[in-house]
Amino acid sequence: QVQLVESGGGLVQAGDSLRLSCLTSGRTFATYAVGWFRQAPEKEREFVAVISWSGESTYIADSVKGRFTISRDNAKNTVYLQMNSLKPEDTAVYYCAAEFGTISTTERAFGSWGQGTQVTVSS
């Protein structure tokens, strides 16, 4: 079992940057992939980014490619989502999740989830 806690969300203006953090515990960190998903009001939760246990493989959703990057610090049991050039359409609750099999971009592959952090981008 893995526990995940997101932080770093907030209210920003369009064009600003934010860095979200996902602190994990409960299982050796360097054994599972970690992904970020987001859910906007009245929309389905969608994939944003994922990073393999080693950090060598990453996948970024087309909707945020070129603006968002994902990284991990295995010494700190933390995964980061750097979000630049934020747009109002990036407004959502952002969740991090742990995935114990082959790296995936599919929500159902992730077995443990955090509670989410709100990101609001004003125009």
Side-chain angles (χ1 to χ4, degrees), residues 75-123:
K76 296 183 177 180
N77 287 8
T78 301
V79 171
Y80 303 99
L81 183 69
Q82 179 66 45
M83 307 186 295
N84 299 327
S85 302
L86 283 161
K87 303 175 180 180
E89 52 262 45
D90 295 319
T91 295
V93 177
Y94 284 72
Y95 301 89
C96 64
E99 189 259 314
F100 307 107
T102 303
I103 189 171
S104 173
T105 62
T106 304
E107 183 177 340
R108 62 178 178 269
F110 291 78
S112 296
W113 292 80
Q115 293 300 306
T117 185
Q118 176 71 46
V119 172
T120 303
V121 185
S122 63
S123 58

Side-chain angles (χ1 to χ4, degrees), residues 15-84:
D16 286 350
S17 298
L18 275 177
R19 188 177 77 161
L20 304 184
S21 299
C22 175
L23 176 64
T24 77
S25 61
R27 178 169 165 169
T28 302
F29 185 60
T31 61
Y32 51 88
V34 175
W36 286 95
F37 292 77
R38 67 185 183 184
Q39 187 167 21
E42 300 182 357
K43 291 189 176 181
E44 296 290 318
R45 189 154 56 184
E46 65 174 357
F47 167 77
V48 176
V50 64
I51 187 166
S52 64
W53 68 268
S54 66
E56 293 181 353
S57 296
T58 62
Y59 296 95
I60 308 292
D62 288 342
S63 59
V64 302
K65 195 169 292 183
R67 299 188 297 121
F68 290 14
T69 58
I70 187 170
S71 62
R72 67 190 291 158
D73 185 338
N74 285 358
K76 296 183 177 180
N77 287 8
T78 301
V79 171
Y80 303 99
L81 183 69
Q82 179 66 45
M83 307 186 295
N84 299 327

